[in-house]
Amino acid sequence: MSENVLSHGADGTGVTDSTPAFVEAITTLGKRGGTIEIPIGRYRIDQAPLVVSAPLHFRGEGGMVRTAVTADGHHLPGSVTTLLFPPDRDGFVVEAASSGSAHFEDLALVRTRASGPDAERFARRGIHAQSRIRAESLYLLNWERGIDLDGRTNHPADPDHVTAFATNDSYVSRIFAEDCFWATYAHGQDAQASHFEHVLTLSCEAGVYDSSEAGNGYVDCYVDGGFTEPPYYMDNLSVLLNCQCEAHLPPQFGRNVTVVGGGFNVHRLPPQVAKALGVMGTPFRQINGVPAKHEGGPFPGGTATFAAGETIGVTVDGVARTIALPAGAFTPRQVADRINAAFADLALPRVATANGFDQALTVEGWRGHDGEKVSVTGAPATLAKIGFPAARPSEGMTYGQMLSAPECSRAIFRAHSGLDTDGTLGINIPGVDEQLDVEVAYDAVRPVFWQIRGAYGDDHEFGVLREAGKGVRRWAFTRASSPRMISLAFTMPEDSLGPDQAVAYDGLWLQNGSGGRRVLLRSGAPEPTQGALEDTRPPTPPHDFAWDLSTDPPQHHTRTVTGWVADHAAGTAQPAPPAPPLELTLDQRSLVDVDDAAGRWQFEGGQVLRDGKRVADYAGTRRVVTGGTDVQNVAMLTLTLFFLDQAGEAGDSMTLQGAYRNSSGVAVGSVSAASSGFADRIGAQFRQVGQTLLVH
């Protein structure tokens, strides 16, 4: 069933309020839902929000293009359905009572800017989803949260609300957010297992936010903004594929966030900010850990009233400040402003954030942490007024996983995971039930892409979903039988290891439902500890098999009681990927000249820094030989780097040899020797200019 809003008296010219017409169309369709047709035009929704509690499909025209409405509200000729909302209201609220997914398509959702001396540039939500939604081809303008996937089980601003929100398995595609704060915002226990694709932002203060319990999948997203908050902020198990940003701040990813491909370019930062954030080197090194943070509860009554002389102490990243709170009533945003002002000399974007929806305050650091580095202290009565003390500060995360496109293996394995005609597991036999294409990282730690074709059904696929249809399922990195237990696992539900086991760290196992032989797909030869040992001599089926995807054609191995045995000679091995350039800084601590009858020695020592952190020590010699090197004013150079292991003790080493030009201070040569950790660098060229050493 469908209803056209014009049939209910909507004004497509934007002169009068169309809210009654939209409400009447929604009421007419009732709980069974249906389609609400919204032709091209400009519709004022003065009595927002529009509440959706049924599986309704709001379908406009024009697609994901800029609206025909300017920032100041003037109408311009255009070809997109535009809904105009007042500055102090949400656009749509999708209630949890919906029996299906609310669907929004081909619409421009525009919040009219607030005016006046205290007008907020950003406020409210374009779509406040409290249950699963489908949103595609939308243009969003002037929102604080363009699309808010709210999966909280409790609601600080509404303690009487007993129904938990759940937006799991939502689908968000082709979103163009302009002049917003966050384009998409996913948070809470049940705001995960969703797919975001082609989310584009322009001139947004931040970009994409995800603090859901497990995380979501993001494909081909682009952020232009990140002015006062990170362009991407994620502290869960989210996966990003081919995402990019051009931002003023680095994205912040937790240790379990996986990023493949794309690029993250950060604009030039003031030196003190770059040092504090650890932003140095090439774009893929510009990823900062998710910082420690301390979240407060709601302000009672929405404001906090202080008496003269009240103070709080805030410690962030080891810097402690006392904030005086003058007498009077203050909102969370006003308290946040005073805290930020106290840390203004650090030139960081912001320390305190006010959540206008929950009327709560959050204080956070900006460096990645493994422990609690944030605290808010003061008299108990004062702390209670601002929602503290709350739960213990959340621990900050270390650096997220980054995997650039050149690091991805191009080896693709085609095999079958279904049953053969005799009931056994089919191994590379055409015509069986399932066919699997896999693409993995060179290190075999992270499968990059896989696709199964066949009739096998699985209702629990999610993550970076690229396409879905009968007999074809495609996704990258993530799948699990429960949205709350997302992992890097690829085992099927009937696997003897159990469903959704994280076996992908050392390859990918396949097994049929009745047990028997298993198949290991790996980039590289299987490890001796992998696979089941057989206890019969000679070995009898079932065997464990493995395919080495790094050879061309793939090498087949069989697991025997003595270990893995290659069944046939490997084909031409694929060349190993070139090691990424190694950019280091030499911090000289000593330089001693020693003259002898043949010329001069120079002995140099110091520390080796990478991204500002000590990673090694070094010792070097430069030899000048009279009648040999002095003719060209050069010296023979030998430089050995002694790297630190995880415990800070002596680990791997690498020796470089070459020529040092005394006139310019430039050295060139190659790596002559190295321990196992740097064996792939032997023969690599190096160039030293001043303190900078580049091995490539």
Coordinates of all heavy atoms in Angstrom, one line a residue, residues 138-217:
L138 N 20.5 9.8 0.7 CA 20.0 10.9 1.6 C 21.1 12.0 1.5 O 22.3 11.8 1.5 CB 19.8 10.5 3.0 CG 18.8 9.4 3.3 CD1 18.7 9.1 4.8 CD2 17.5 9.6 2.7
Y139 N 20.6 13.3 1.6 CA 21.4 14.5 1.8 C 21.0 15.0 3.1 O 19.8 15.2 3.4 CB 21.1 15.5 0.7 CG 21.9 16.8 0.9 CD1 23.2 16.9 0.5 CD2 21.2 17.9 1.4 CE1 23.9 18.1 0.7 CE2 21.9 19.1 1.6 CZ 23.2 19.2 1.3 OH 23.9 20.4 1.5
L140 N 22.0 15.3 4.0 CA 21.8 15.8 5.3 C 22.6 17.1 5.5 O 23.7 17.2 5.2 CB 22.4 14.7 6.3 CG 21.8 13.3 6.2 CD1 22.6 12.3 7.0 CD2 20.4 13.2 6.5
L141 N 21.9 18.1 6.1 CA 22.5 19.4 6.2 C 22.2 20.0 7.6 O 21.0 20.0 8.1 CB 21.9 20.4 5.2 CG 22.4 21.8 5.2 CD1 23.9 21.8 4.8 CD2 21.6 22.6 4.2
N142 N 23.2 20.5 8.3 CA 23.1 21.2 9.5 C 22.7 20.4 10.8 O 22.2 21.0 11.7 CB 22.1 22.4 9.4 CG 22.6 23.4 8.4 OD1 23.8 23.5 8.1 ND2 21.6 24.2 7.8
W143 N 23.0 19.1 10.8 CA 22.6 18.3 12.0 C 23.8 18.1 12.9 O 25.0 18.1 12.4 CB 22.0 17.0 11.6 CG 20.8 17.1 10.7 CD1 20.8 16.9 9.3 CD2 19.5 17.3 11.1 NE1 19.5 17.1 8.9 CE2 18.7 17.3 9.9 CE3 18.9 17.5 12.3 CZ2 17.3 17.5 10.0 CZ3 17.5 17.7 12.4 CH2 16.7 17.7 11.2
E144 N 23.5 17.9 14.2 CA 24.6 17.4 15.0 C 24.9 15.9 14.8 O 26.1 15.5 14.7 CB 24.3 17.6 16.5 CG 25.5 17.2 17.4 CD 25.3 17.6 18.8 OE1 24.6 18.5 19.1 OE2 26.0 17.0 19.7
R145 N 23.9 15.1 14.6 CA 24.1 13.7 14.2 C 23.1 13.5 13.0 O 21.9 13.5 13.2 CB 23.7 12.8 15.4 CG 24.6 13.0 16.6 CD 24.1 12.1 17.8 NE 24.8 12.5 19.0 CZ 24.6 12.0 20.2 NH1 23.7 11.0 20.3 NH2 25.3 12.3 21.2
G146 N 23.6 13.3 11.9 CA 22.8 13.1 10.7 C 21.9 11.9 10.8 O 20.7 12.0 10.8
I147 N 22.6 10.8 11.1 CA 21.9 9.5 11.3 C 22.4 9.0 12.6 O 23.6 8.7 12.8 CB 22.1 8.5 10.2 CG1 21.5 9.0 8.9 CG2 21.5 7.1 10.6 CD1 21.7 8.1 7.7
D148 N 21.5 8.8 13.6 CA 21.9 8.4 15.0 C 21.3 7.0 15.2 O 20.1 6.8 15.4 CB 21.3 9.4 16.0 CG 21.8 9.0 17.4 OD1 22.3 7.9 17.6 OD2 21.5 9.8 18.3
L149 N 22.2 5.9 15.1 CA 21.8 4.6 15.5 C 22.0 4.4 17.0 O 23.1 4.3 17.5 CB 22.6 3.6 14.7 CG 22.5 3.6 13.2 CD1 23.3 2.4 12.6 CD2 21.1 3.6 12.7
D150 N 20.9 4.5 17.7 CA 20.9 4.5 19.2 C 20.6 3.1 19.7 O 19.4 2.7 19.6 CB 19.8 5.5 19.6 CG 19.9 5.8 21.1 OD1 20.6 5.0 21.8 OD2 19.4 6.8 21.6
G151 N 21.5 2.4 20.2 CA 21.3 1.0 20.7 C 21.5 0.9 22.2 O 21.9 -0.2 22.7
R152 N 21.2 2.0 22.9 CA 21.4 1.9 24.4 C 20.3 1.1 25.0 O 19.1 1.1 24.7 CB 21.4 3.3 24.9 CG 22.6 4.2 24.4 CD 22.4 5.6 24.9 NE 21.2 6.3 24.3 CZ 20.8 7.5 24.7 NH1 21.5 8.2 25.6 NH2 19.7 8.0 24.1
T153 N 20.7 0.4 26.1 CA 19.8 -0.4 26.9 C 19.2 0.5 28.0 O 18.2 0.1 28.6 CB 20.4 -1.6 27.5 OG1 21.6 -1.2 28.2 CG2 20.9 -2.5 26.4
N154 N 19.8 1.6 28.3 CA 19.2 2.5 29.3 C 19.4 3.9 28.8 O 20.3 4.2 28.0 CB 19.8 2.3 30.7 CG 21.3 2.4 30.6 OD1 21.9 3.5 30.4 ND2 22.0 1.3 30.9
H155 N 18.6 4.8 29.2 CA 18.6 6.2 28.7 C 18.7 7.2 29.8 O 17.7 7.5 30.5 CB 17.3 6.3 27.8 CG 17.1 5.1 27.0 ND1 17.9 4.9 25.9 CD2 16.2 4.1 27.1 CE1 17.4 3.8 25.3 NE2 16.5 3.3 26.0
P156 N 19.9 7.8 30.0 CA 20.1 8.7 31.1 C 19.1 9.9 31.1 O 18.7 10.4 32.1 CB 21.5 9.2 30.9 CG 22.2 8.1 30.1 CD 21.1 7.6 29.2
A157 N 18.7 10.3 29.9 CA 17.8 11.5 29.8 C 16.4 11.1 30.1 O 15.5 12.0 30.2 CB 17.9 12.2 28.4
D158 N 16.1 9.8 30.0 CA 14.7 9.3 30.2 C 14.7 8.0 31.0 O 14.6 6.9 30.5 CB 14.1 9.1 28.8 CG 12.6 8.8 29.0 OD1 12.1 8.8 30.1 OD2 12.0 8.4 27.9
P159 N 15.0 8.1 32.3 CA 15.1 6.9 33.2 C 13.8 6.1 33.2 O 13.9 4.9 33.6 CB 15.5 7.5 34.6 CG 15.0 8.9 34.5 CD 15.1 9.4 33.1
D160 N 12.7 6.7 32.9 CA 11.5 5.9 32.9 C 11.3 5.0 31.7 O 10.3 4.3 31.6 CB 10.3 6.8 33.1 CG 10.3 7.6 34.4 OD1 10.8 7.0 35.4 OD2 9.8 8.7 34.5
H161 N 12.1 5.2 30.7 CA 12.0 4.5 29.4 C 12.5 3.0 29.7 O 13.6 2.8 30.0 CB 12.8 5.1 28.3 CG 12.5 4.7 27.0 ND1 12.7 3.4 26.5 CD2 11.9 5.3 25.9 CE1 12.3 3.3 25.3 NE2 11.8 4.4 24.9
V162 N 11.6 2.0 29.6 CA 11.9 0.7 29.9 C 12.3 -0.2 28.7 O 12.8 -1.3 28.9 CB 10.8 0.0 30.7 CG1 10.6 0.8 32.1 CG2 9.5 0.0 29.9
T163 N 11.9 0.2 27.5 CA 12.2 -0.6 26.3 C 13.6 -0.2 25.8 O 13.9 0.9 25.5 CB 11.1 -0.3 25.3 OG1 9.8 -0.6 25.8 CG2 11.4 -1.1 24.0
A164 N 14.4 -1.3 25.7 CA 15.7 -1.1 25.2 C 15.7 -0.8 23.7 O 14.9 -1.3 23.0 CB 16.6 -2.3 25.4
F165 N 16.5 0.1 23.2 CA 16.6 0.4 21.8 C 17.5 -0.7 21.2 O 18.4 -1.2 21.8 CB 17.3 1.8 21.5 CG 16.5 2.9 22.1 CD1 17.1 4.2 22.2 CD2 15.1 2.8 22.5 CE1 16.4 5.3 22.7 CE2 14.4 3.9 23.0 CZ 15.0 5.1 23.1
A166 N 17.3 -0.9 19.9 CA 18.1 -1.9 19.2 C 18.1 -1.6 17.7 O 17.1 -1.7 17.0 CB 17.6 -3.4 19.4
T167 N 19.3 -1.2 17.2 CA 19.4 -0.8 15.7 C 20.3 -1.8 15.0 O 20.8 -1.5 13.9 CB 19.9 0.6 15.6 OG1 21.2 0.7 16.2 CG2 19.0 1.6 16.3
N168 N 20.5 -3.0 15.6 CA 21.4 -3.9 14.9 C 20.9 -4.2 13.5 O 19.7 -4.2 13.2 CB 21.4 -5.3 15.7 CG 21.9 -5.1 17.1 OD1 22.8 -4.2 17.4 ND2 21.4 -5.9 18.0
D169 N 21.9 -4.5 12.6 CA 21.6 -5.0 11.2 C 21.0 -3.9 10.4 O 20.3 -4.1 9.4 CB 20.7 -6.2 11.2 CG 21.3 -7.3 12.0 OD1 22.4 -7.7 11.8 OD2 20.6 -7.9 12.9
S170 N 21.2 -2.6 10.7 CA 20.8 -1.5 9.9 C 21.6 -1.4 8.6 O 22.8 -1.9 8.5 CB 20.8 -0.2 10.6 OG 19.9 -0.2 11.7
Y171 N 21.1 -0.8 7.6 CA 21.8 -0.6 6.3 C 21.8 0.9 6.0 O 20.7 1.5 5.8 CB 21.1 -1.4 5.2 CG 21.7 -1.3 3.9 CD1 22.8 -2.1 3.5 CD2 21.2 -0.4 2.9 CE1 23.4 -2.0 2.2 CE2 21.8 -0.3 1.7 CZ 22.9 -1.1 1.3 OH 23.4 -1.0 0.1
V172 N 23.0 1.5 5.8 CA 23.1 2.9 5.5 C 24.0 3.0 4.3 O 25.2 2.6 4.3 CB 23.7 3.7 6.7 CG1 23.8 5.1 6.4 CG2 22.8 3.5 8.0
S173 N 23.5 3.6 3.2 CA 24.2 3.6 2.0 C 23.9 4.9 1.2 O 22.8 5.5 1.2 CB 23.8 2.4 1.1 OG 24.5 2.5 -0.2
R174 N 25.0 5.5 0.6 CA 24.9 6.7 -0.2 C 24.3 7.8 0.6 O 23.3 8.3 0.3 CB 24.1 6.4 -1.5 CG 24.6 5.2 -2.3 CD 23.9 5.1 -3.7 NE 22.5 4.9 -3.5 CZ 21.9 3.8 -3.2 NH1 22.6 2.7 -2.9 NH2 20.5 3.7 -3.1
I175 N 25.1 8.3 1.5 CA 24.8 9.4 2.4 C 25.7 10.5 2.1 O 26.9 10.4 2.2 CB 24.8 9.0 3.9 CG1 24.0 7.7 4.2 CG2 24.4 10.1 4.8 CD1 22.5 7.9 3.9
F176 N 25.2 11.7 1.9 CA 26.0 12.9 1.7 C 25.6 13.9 2.8 O 24.5 14.4 2.9 CB 25.6 13.5 0.3 CG 26.4 14.7 0.0 CD1 27.5 15.2 0.8 CD2 26.2 15.5 -1.2 CE1 28.2 16.3 0.4 CE2 26.9 16.6 -1.5 CZ 27.9 17.0 -0.7
A177 N 26.5 14.1 3.8 CA 26.3 14.9 4.9 C 27.2 16.2 4.7 O 28.4 16.1 4.6 CB 26.7 14.2 6.2
E178 N 26.5 17.4 4.8 CA 27.3 18.6 4.7 C 27.0 19.5 5.9 O 25.9 19.6 6.3 CB 26.8 19.3 3.4 CG 27.6 20.6 3.1 CD 27.3 21.2 1.7 OE1 26.4 20.7 1.0 OE2 28.0 22.1 1.3
D179 N 28.1 20.1 6.3 CA 28.0 21.1 7.4 C 27.3 20.5 8.6 O 26.4 21.1 9.3 CB 27.3 22.4 7.0 CG 27.7 23.6 7.8 OD1 28.8 23.5 8.4 OD2 27.0 24.6 7.8
C180 N 27.6 19.2 8.9 CA 27.0 18.6 10.1 C 28.2 18.4 11.1 O 29.3 18.8 10.8 CB 26.5 17.2 9.8 SG 25.0 17.2 8.7
F181 N 27.9 17.9 12.3 CA 28.9 17.6 13.2 C 29.4 16.1 13.0 O 30.5 15.9 12.5 CB 28.5 17.8 14.7 CG 29.6 18.0 15.6 CD1 30.1 19.3 16.0 CD2 30.3 16.9 16.1 CE1 31.1 19.5 16.8 CE2 31.4 17.1 17.0 CZ 31.8 18.4 17.3
W182 N 28.5 15.2 13.3 CA 28.7 13.8 12.9 C 27.7 13.4 11.8 O 26.6 13.6 11.9 CB 28.5 12.9 14.1 CG 29.4 13.1 15.3 CD1 29.1 13.8 16.4 CD2 30.8 12.7 15.4 NE1 30.2 13.8 17.3 CE2 31.2 13.1 16.7 CE3 31.7 12.0 14.6 CZ2 32.5 12.9 17.1 CZ3 32.9 11.8 15.0 CH2 33.4 12.2 16.3
A183 N 28.3 12.8 10.7 CA 27.4 12.3 9.7 C 26.6 11.1 10.1 O 25.4 11.1 10.0 CB 28.2 12.0 8.4
T184 N 27.3 10.1 10.7 CA 26.6 9.0 11.3 C 27.2 8.8 12.7 O 28.4 9.0 12.9 CB 26.8 7.7 10.4 OG1 28.2 7.4 10.4 CG2 26.3 7.9 9.0
Y185 N 26.3 8.3 13.5 CA 26.7 8.1 15.0 C 26.0 6.9 15.5 O 24.8 6.7 15.6 CB 26.1 9.4 15.7 CG 26.7 9.6 17.1 CD1 27.7 10.5 17.3 CD2 26.2 9.0 18.2 CE1 28.2 10.8 18.5 CE2 26.7 9.2 19.5 CZ 27.7 10.1 19.6 OH 28.2 10.4 20.9
A186 N 26.8 5.8 15.8 CA 26.4 4.6 16.3 C 26.9 4.4 17.7 O 28.1 4.5 17.9 CB 26.8 3.4 15.4
H187 N 26.0 4.1 18.6 CA 26.4 4.0 20.0 C 25.4 3.1 20.8 O 24.2 2.9 20.4 CB 26.5 5.3 20.7 CG 25.2 6.1 20.7 ND1 24.6 6.6 21.8 CD2 24.4 6.5 19.7 CE1 23.5 7.3 21.5 NE2 23.3 7.2 20.2
G188 N 25.9 2.5 21.8 CA 25.1 1.6 22.7 C 25.4 0.1 22.4 O 26.0 -0.3 21.4
Q189 N 24.8 -0.7 23.3 CA 25.0 -2.2 23.2 C 24.5 -2.8 21.9 O 25.1 -3.7 21.3 CB 24.4 -2.9 24.4 CG 24.6 -4.4 24.4 CD 24.0 -5.0 25.7 OE1 23.6 -4.3 26.6 NE2 24.1 -6.3 25.8
D190 N 23.3 -2.3 21.4 CA 22.7 -2.9 20.3 C 22.6 -1.9 19.1 O 21.5 -1.6 18.6 CB 21.3 -3.3 20.7 CG 21.3 -4.6 21.6 OD1 22.0 -5.5 21.3 OD2 20.6 -4.5 22.6
A191 N 23.8 -1.4 18.7 CA 23.9 -0.6 17.5 C 25.0 -1.1 16.6 O 25.9 -0.4 16.2 CB 24.1 0.8 17.9
Q192 N 25.0 -2.4 16.4 CA 26.1 -3.1 15.7 C 25.6 -4.0 14.6 O 24.4 -4.1 14.3 CB 26.9 -3.9 16.7 CG 26.1 -4.8 17.5 CD 26.7 -5.0 18.9 OE1 27.7 -4.5 19.2 NE2 26.0 -5.8 19.7
A193 N 26.6 -4.7 13.9 CA 26.3 -5.6 12.8 C 25.6 -4.9 11.7 O 24.8 -5.4 10.9 CB 25.4 -6.7 13.3
S194 N 25.9 -3.6 11.5 CA 25.3 -2.8 10.5 C 26.3 -2.5 9.4 O 27.5 -2.6 9.6 CB 24.7 -1.5 11.0 OG 23.7 -1.7 12.0
H195 N 25.8 -2.1 8.2 CA 26.6 -1.9 7.1 C 26.5 -0.4 6.6 O 25.4 0.1 6.4 CB 26.2 -2.8 5.9 CG 26.8 -2.5 4.6 ND1 28.2 -2.6 4.4 CD2 26.3 -2.0 3.4 CE1 28.5 -2.3 3.2 NE2 27.4 -1.9 2.6
F196 N 27.6 0.3 6.5 CA 27.7 1.6 6.1 C 28.5 1.7 4.8 O 29.6 1.2 4.7 CB 28.4 2.6 7.1 CG 27.6 2.7 8.4 CD1 27.7 1.8 9.4 CD2 26.8 3.8 8.6 CE1 26.9 1.9 10.6 CE2 26.1 4.0 9.8 CZ 26.2 3.0 10.8
E197 N 27.9 2.2 3.7 CA 28.6 2.3 2.5 C 28.4 3.6 1.8 O 27.3 4.2 1.8 CB 28.2 1.2 1.5 CG 28.9 1.1 0.2 CD 28.6 -0.2 -0.5 OE1 27.8 -1.0 0.0 OE2 29.2 -0.4 -1.6
H198 N 29.5 4.2 1.2 CA 29.5 5.5 0.6 C 28.9 6.6 1.4 O 27.9 7.2 1.1 CB 28.7 5.4 -0.8 CG 29.3 4.5 -1.8 ND1 30.5 4.9 -2.4 CD2 29.0 3.3 -2.3 CE1 30.9 4.0 -3.3 NE2 30.0 3.0 -3.2
V199 N 29.4 6.7 2.6 CA 29.1 7.8 3.5 C 30.1 8.9 3.2 O 31.3 8.8 3.5 CB 29.1 7.5 5.0 CG1 28.8 8.7 5.9 CG2 28.1 6.3 5.3
L200 N 29.6 10.0 2.6 CA 30.5 11.2 2.2 C 30.1 12.4 3.1 O 29.0 12.7 3.3 CB 30.3 11.5 0.8 CG 30.3 10.3 -0.2 CD1 30.1 10.8 -1.6 CD2 31.7 9.6 -0.2
T201 N 31.2 13.1 3.6 CA 30.9 14.3 4.4 C 31.7 15.4 3.8 O 32.8 15.2 3.2 CB 31.4 14.1 5.8 OG1 32.8 14.2 5.9 CG2 31.0 12.7 6.4
L202 N 31.2 16.6 3.9 CA 31.8 17.8 3.4 C 31.7 18.9 4.4 O 30.6 19.2 4.9 CB 31.1 18.3 2.1 CG 31.7 19.5 1.5 CD1 33.1 19.3 1.0 CD2 30.8 20.0 0.2
S203 N 32.9 19.4 4.8 CA 32.9 20.5 5.8 C 32.2 20.2 7.1 O 31.5 21.0 7.7 CB 32.3 21.8 5.2 OG 33.0 22.2 4.1
C204 N 32.4 19.0 7.6 CA 31.8 18.5 8.8 C 32.8 18.7 10.0 O 34.0 18.6 9.7 CB 31.3 17.1 8.8 SG 29.9 16.8 7.8
E205 N 32.3 19.1 11.2 CA 33.2 19.3 12.3 C 34.0 18.0 12.6 O 35.1 18.0 13.0 CB 32.5 19.8 13.5 CG 32.0 21.3 13.4 CD 33.2 22.2 13.3 OE1 34.0 22.2 14.3 OE2 33.3 22.9 12.3
A206 N 33.3 16.9 12.5 CA 33.9 15.6 12.8 C 33.7 14.7 11.5 O 34.2 15.0 10.5 CB 33.3 15.0 14.0
G207 N 33.0 13.6 11.7 CA 32.7 12.7 10.5 C 31.9 11.5 10.9 O 30.7 11.6 10.9
V208 N 32.6 10.4 11.3 CA 31.9 9.1 11.5 C 32.2 8.7 12.9 O 33.4 8.6 13.2 CB 32.3 8.1 10.5 CG1 31.7 6.7 10.8 CG2 31.8 8.5 9.1
Y209 N 31.2 8.4 13.7 CA 31.4 8.0 15.1 C 30.8 6.6 15.4 O 29.7 6.3 14.9 CB 30.8 9.0 16.1 CG 30.9 8.7 17.5 CD1 31.9 9.3 18.3 CD2 30.0 7.9 18.2 CE1 32.0 9.1 19.7 CE2 30.1 7.6 19.5 CZ 31.1 8.2 20.3 OH 31.2 8.0 21.6
D210 N 31.6 5.7 16.1 CA 31.1 4.4 16.4 C 31.6 3.9 17.7 O 32.8 3.6 17.8 CB 31.4 3.4 15.3 CG 30.6 2.1 15.3 OD1 30.2 1.7 16.4 OD2 30.3 1.6 14.2
S211 N 30.8 3.9 18.7 CA 31.2 3.3 20.0 C 30.3 2.2 20.4 O 30.1 1.9 21.6 CB 31.1 4.4 21.1 OG 29.8 4.9 21.3
S212 N 29.6 1.6 19.4 CA 28.8 0.4 19.7 C 29.6 -0.7 20.3 O 30.8 -0.7 20.2 CB 28.1 -0.1 18.4 OG 29.1 -0.4 17.5
E213 N 28.9 -1.7 20.9 CA 29.7 -2.7 21.7 C 30.6 -3.4 20.8 O 31.8 -3.7 21.2 CB 28.7 -3.6 22.3 CG 29.4 -4.7 23.2 CD 28.4 -5.6 23.9 OE1 27.2 -5.2 24.1 OE2 28.8 -6.6 24.4
A214 N 30.2 -3.9 19.7 CA 31.1 -4.7 18.8 C 31.6 -4.0 17.6 O 32.7 -4.1 17.2 CB 30.3 -6.0 18.4
G215 N 30.7 -3.1 17.0 CA 31.2 -2.4 15.8 C 30.4 -2.7 14.6 O 29.4 -3.5 14.6
N216 N 30.7 -2.1 13.5 CA 30.0 -2.2 12.2 C 31.0 -2.2 11.1 O 32.2 -2.0 11.3 CB 29.0 -1.0 12.1 CG 28.0 -1.0 13.2 OD1 27.1 -1.8 13.2 ND2 28.1 -0.1 14.1
G217 N 30.5 -2.4 9.9 CA 31.4 -2.4 8.7 C 31.2 -1.1 7.9 O 30.1 -0.6 7.8

